[in-house]
């Protein structure tokens, strides 16, 4: 059975997830799996359920039904230790960064290293600085979130997730809260991760990025996955897919706004 | 006998009031420290604890806020002996002040705890932190900073209502003033000086609180999020 193989071979797999919030069915039997080197992209209109789906995968939102498997092991969602184990192995990047406002960049990263990984203060700070360096922010270590630009905040958030050595990253529209000129520096970091084979599930509307790096595109609408295939199939100009239709509308909007900012793939542009 | 006779002030009033202010401080300082911690704990319980504990804490705060402090003092000192609990005047006063300031402070803490953005809690969870780690390392440090102005006000009130300790026969600054005033029949001068003592305490407290606020301040934090 392909489904069972999927679960066994995948690093992380969410199967048949359904969620009801306030009497509304928000997710209707959706599934996704990520293996080594996968970059799966969720696309779909606002309110489709992308954020909810991503947060179900690491159980920030409890599901009504469905299962999560980490490296083939089914997660016991009623067990806190089991949930913490899942979350330590699955990093998450949020649309609005969610940095801890009372901690500096380096402290934002070292906190969980100390509390969850039980590193000493020194080791945690060393590691945190390494991660900041990796996202090109070594010289911003002592600044508080309020002193950083949006792009810098998101890079700190990525560094914070990476410091936990996650096996998979979940990214929820990591560039949508950013001014256009700051999108590039964050995408450059994500590009770099993809190049190093970090498995990711990402909700994004950065279509150039999707075309060049996604291994699979899942189009969501009203809580269901409607289409699912390789980007060059779904986005082929001859395709009649809902995905292509949706993306061409996005493109039109953007062209009206102005020409889209070019994605810079140069390594960690420093600001 | 002229008004504001220097020798009367230096020989009679000031020595007694100096004793009194020490007695007041012996009440105020522990009440601030214990009452403050109690308030933080109560605030946390009221926001994060399980239902039964939460209901008890909410009920406790409702009672403390709903009954005049004078009555609480009298219950603790004159009422409890009927159920064979005997408190010294000092203990009764201190307990009443701890309960009172703790209950009011828990209101400010509770509001501040609830104001911390849900997203930061999610970020903590996503990193694998436990609920208590999130509460103590992420929510509480931010909430305390936001609660400082309100809690500071409460400390100022505490300094003033410590003068009610004389009701349970604990003689502190106000008690000393009352005694000298009735012995010498010169209440105006005595109470004026006593008032200055309180003003002095409150000025110091206000200054210390603003220092604390400065020390704990974080760039853009209170401005951006309050
Ligand atoms: N806590 C909630 N209670 C009720 N409905 C919610 C809640 N959170 C999100 N929703 C609804 O779920 C749907 C999916 O939301 P979301 O996952 O944020 O979509 P997307 O990320 O694709 O824009 C939306 O219609 C939203 O209104
Ligand atoms: Mg969303």
């Amino acid at each position: 059975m392909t489904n069972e193989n999927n679960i066994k071979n995948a690093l992380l797999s969410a199967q048949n997830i359904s969620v009801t919030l306030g009497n509304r069915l928000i997710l209707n039997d959706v599934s996704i799996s990520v293996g080594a080197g996968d970059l799966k992209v969720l696309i779909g209109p606002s309110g489709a359920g992308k954020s909810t789906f991503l947060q179900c995968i690491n159980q920030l939102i409890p599901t009504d039904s469905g299962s999560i498997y980490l490296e083939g092991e089914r997660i016991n969602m009623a067990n806190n230790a089991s949930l913490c184990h899942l979350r330590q192995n699955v990093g998450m990047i949020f649309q609005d960064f969610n940095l801890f406002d009372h901690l500096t960049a380096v402290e934002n990263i070292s906190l969980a290293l100390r509390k969850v990984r039980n590193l000493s203060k020194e080791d945690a700070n060393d590691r945190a600085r390494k991660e900041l360096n990796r996202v090109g922010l070594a010289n911003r270590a002592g600044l508080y979130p309020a002193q950083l630009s949006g792009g810098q905040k998101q890079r700190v958030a990525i560094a914070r997730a990476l410091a936990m050595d996650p096996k998979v990253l979940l990214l929820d529209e990591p560039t949508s809260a950013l001014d256009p000129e700051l999108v590039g520096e964050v995408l450059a970091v994500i590009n770099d991760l993809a190049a190093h084979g970090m498995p990711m599930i990402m909700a994004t509307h950065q279509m150039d990025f999707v075309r060049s790096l996604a291994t699979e595109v899942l189009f969501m609408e009203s809580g269901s996955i409607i289409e699912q295939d390789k980007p060059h199939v779904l986005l082929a100009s001859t395709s009649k897919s809902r995905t292509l239709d949706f993306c061409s509308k996005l493109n039109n909007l953007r062209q009206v706004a102005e020409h889209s900012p070019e994605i810079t793939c140069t390594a960690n542009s420093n600001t | 006998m002229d008004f504001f006779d220097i020798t009367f002030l230096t020989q009679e009033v000031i020595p007694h009031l100096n004793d009194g202010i020490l007695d007041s401080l012996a009440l105020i300082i522990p009440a601030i420290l214990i009452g403050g911690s109690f308030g933080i704990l109560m605030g946390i319980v009221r926001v994060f604890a399980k239902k039964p504990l939460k209901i008890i804490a909410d009920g406790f705060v409702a009672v403390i806020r709903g009954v005049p402090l004078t009555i609480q003092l009298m219950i603790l000192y004159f009422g409890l002996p009927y159920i064979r609990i005997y408190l010294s005047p000092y203990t009764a006063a201190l307990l009443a002040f701890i309960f009172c300031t703790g209950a009011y402070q828990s209101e400010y803490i509770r509001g501040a705890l609830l104001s911390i953005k849900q997203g930061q809690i999610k970020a903590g969870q996503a990193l694998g932190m436990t609920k208590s780690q999130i509460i103590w390392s992420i929510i509480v440090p931010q909430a305390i900073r936001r609660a400082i102005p309100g809690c500071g006000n409460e400390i100022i009130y505490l300094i003033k209502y410590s003068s009610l300790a004389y009701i349970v026969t604990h003689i502190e600054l106000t008690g000393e003033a009352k005694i000298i005033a009735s012995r010498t029949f010169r209440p105006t001068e005595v109470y004026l000086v006593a008032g200055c003592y309180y003003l002095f305490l409150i000025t110091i407290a206000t200054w210390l609180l603003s220092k604390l606020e400065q020390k704990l301040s974080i760039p853009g934090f209170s401005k951006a999020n309050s």
Side-chain angles (χ1 to χ4, degrees), chain A residues 2-270:
Chain A
T2 48
N3 206 21
E4 266 167 34
N5 275 339
N6 263 346
I7 296 166
K8 276 208 191 101
N9 299 332
L11 277 169
L12 179 68
S13 173
Q15 294 296 321
N16 311 107
I17 303 287
S18 292
V19 170
T20 319
L21 290 172
N23 280 334
R24 260 187 61 212
L25 188 61
I26 304 290
L27 286 181
N28 182 11
D29 193 23
V30 287
S31 303
I32 196 169
S33 292
V34 247
D38 272 345
L39 198 176
K40 303 225 169 173
V41 168
L42 300 176
I43 294 182
S46 169
K50 305 178 296 292
S51 300
T52 310
F53 190 22
L54 284 171
Q55 293 184 39
C56 283
I57 296 174
N58 64 354
Q59 284 293 294
L60 295 186
I61 296 177
T63 48
D64 297 345
S65 60
S67 337
I68 310 290
Y69 299 84
L70 181 67
E71 299 182 303
E73 300 271 340
R74 189 177 166 156
I75 300 295
N76 177 358
M77 302 184 191
N79 179 317
N80 279 334
S82 176
L83 285 183
C84 283
H85 171 72
L86 169 72
R87 290 170 185 159
Q88 274 179 58
N89 285 289
V90 179
M92 180 159 232
I93 309 300
F94 300 87
Q95 187 171 347
D96 37 15
F97 330 126
N98 293 339
L99 292 185
F100 307 131
D101 287 332
H102 63 306
L103 298 178
T104 61
V106 73
E107 289 166 346
N108 257 278
I109 302 167
S110 63
L111 179 68
L113 289 172
R114 288 191 291 123
K115 300 287 171 187
V116 180
R117 300 276 297 271
N118 294 318
L119 293 191
S120 71
K121 196 166 184 172
E122 241 171 49
D123 291 346
N125 278 339
D126 279 354
R127 180 67 202 267
R129 279 172 204 285
K130 276 195 195 111
E131 293 303 333
L132 275 180
N133 196 30
R134 177 161 162 193
V135 297
L137 288 174
N139 54 351
R140 295 287 189 277
L143 296 187
Y144 287 93
Q147 298 169 310
L148 299 171
S149 74
Q152 292 170 340
K153 283 187 213 179
Q154 194 60 295
R155 283 147 71 194
V156 172
I158 293 173
R160 179 173 70 176
L162 292 177
M164 303 301 285
D165 296 316
K167 299 194 168 102
V168 178
L169 270 191
L170 310 175
L171 303 98
D172 189 2
E173 303 200 37
T175 58
S176 341
L178 299 177
D179 293 335
E181 73 272 20
L182 301 178
V183 168
E185 63 185 73
V186 171
L187 282 183
V189 170
I190 298 173
N191 264 316
D192 190 50
L193 289 174
H196 284 85
M198 169 66 78
M200 296 188 254
I201 303 175
M202 178 167 170
T204 184
H205 291 150
Q206 295 289 332
M207 291 320 296
D208 305 331
F209 176 86
V210 173
R211 268 198 192 85
S212 60
L213 288 175
T215 53
E216 188 173 52
V217 172
L218 297 89
F219 185 80
M220 284 186 79
E221 196 163 44
S222 315
S224 301
I225 294 172
I226 309 226
E227 290 171 349
Q228 175 168 9
D229 212 326
K230 299 226 166 347
H232 65 86
V233 177
L234 283 183
L235 297 173
S237 52
T238 52
S239 155
K240 297 232 163 20
S241 68
R242 274 288 288 125
T243 314
L244 183 66
D245 184 46
F246 176 77
C247 293
S248 57
K249 276 178 193 144
L250 270 187
N251 255 341
N252 288 342
L253 279 179
R254 244 198 308 180
Q255 274 160 11
V256 171
E258 217 193 345
H259 66 279
S260 59
E262 212 52 52
I263 300 164
T264 47
C265 293
T266 52
N268 309 351
S269 63
N270 205 333

Side-chain angles (χ1 to χ4, degrees), chain B residues 122-200:
Chain B
K122 283 200 166 160
Q125 285 178 316
L127 290 164
M129 294 172 75
T130 63
K131 187 172 171 184
S132 75
Q133 288 172 338
I134 291 172
I135 292 175
W136 289 105
S137 321
I138 299 171
I139 304 177
V140 170
Q142 296 187 44
I144 286 181
R145 288 182 168 84
R146 278 196 206 160
I148 282 180
C151 288
N153 252 337
E154 216 34 65
I155 287 173
I156 304 292
Y157 279 118
L158 169 65
I159 292 173
K160 288 186 281 188
Y161 58 61
S162 72
S163 67
L164 290 175
Y166 80 89
I167 288 175
V168 294
T169 75
H170 181 73
I171 307 303
E172 35 63 77
L173 185 52
T174 306
E176 291 283 357
K178 231 171 131 67
I179 292 169
I180 321 169
S182 51
R183 184 159 50 79
T184 61
F185 300 106
R186 295 172 78 165
T188 321
E189 290 147 286
V190 175
Y191 287 130
L192 264 177
V193 177
C196 289
Y197 273 56
Y198 279 108
L199 193 58
F200 169 73

Side-chain angles (χ1 to χ4, degrees), chain B residues 14-224:
Chain B
I14 289 175
H16 283 101
L17 293 190
N18 283 351
D19 281 351
I21 205 173
L22 292 180
D23 288 320
S24 287
L25 286 173
L27 270 176
I28 293 167
I29 291 171
I32 290 174
L33 297 177
I34 304 173
S37 321
F38 180 57
I40 293 173
L41 262 176
M42 291 279 286
I44 292 171
V45 165
R46 292 177 66 198
V47 175
F48 297 113
K50 299 222 155 58
K51 255 280 162 54
L53 212 61
K54 204 182 228 165
I55 290 172
I56 293 172
D58 280 343
F60 179 81
V61 172
V63 169
I64 299 291
R65 297 210 321 157
V67 176
L69 182 55
T70 333
I71 309 274
Q72 291 174 35
L73 277 163
M74 300 219 238
I75 292 174
L76 283 175
Y77 188 65
F78 300 110
L80 286 186
Y82 285 95
I83 54 166
R84 306 201 178 284
I85 297 175
Y86 302 91
L87 301 178
S88 71
Y90 174 77
T91 315
L94 183 57
L95 264 185
F97 297 158
I98 286 172
F99 289 162
C100 185
T101 201
Y104 280 101
Q105 304 223 15
S106 81
E107 280 288 287
Y108 291 106
I109 299 283
R110 180 173 165 271
L113 289 170
L114 290 173
S115 77
I116 304 306
K117 287 196 215 85
Q118 203 59 32
Q120 292 188 49
I121 299 171
K122 283 200 166 160
Q125 285 178 316
L127 290 164
M129 294 172 75
T130 63
K131 187 172 171 184
S132 75
Q133 288 172 338
I134 291 172
I135 292 175
W136 289 105
S137 321
I138 299 171
I139 304 177
V140 170
Q142 296 187 44
I144 286 181
R145 288 182 168 84
R146 278 196 206 160
I148 282 180
C151 288
N153 252 337
E154 216 34 65
I155 287 173
I156 304 292
Y157 279 118
L158 169 65
I159 292 173
K160 288 186 281 188
Y161 58 61
S162 72
S163 67
L164 290 175
Y166 80 89
I167 288 175
V168 294
T169 75
H170 181 73
I171 307 303
E172 35 63 77
L173 185 52
T174 306
E176 291 283 357
K178 231 171 131 67
I179 292 169
I180 321 169
S182 51
R183 184 159 50 79
T184 61
F185 300 106
R186 295 172 78 165
T188 321
E189 290 147 286
V190 175
Y191 287 130
L192 264 177
V193 177
C196 289
Y197 273 56
Y198 279 108
L199 193 58
F200 169 73
L201 281 184
I202 283 166
T203 309
I204 302 270
T206 309
W207 180 77
L208 283 175
L209 282 165
S210 74
K211 282 271 156 213
L212 180 69
E213 204 169 337
Q214 268 171 34
K215 190 170 152 43
L216 291 181
S217 86
I218 282 171
F221 183 76
S222 53
K223 266 180 241 148

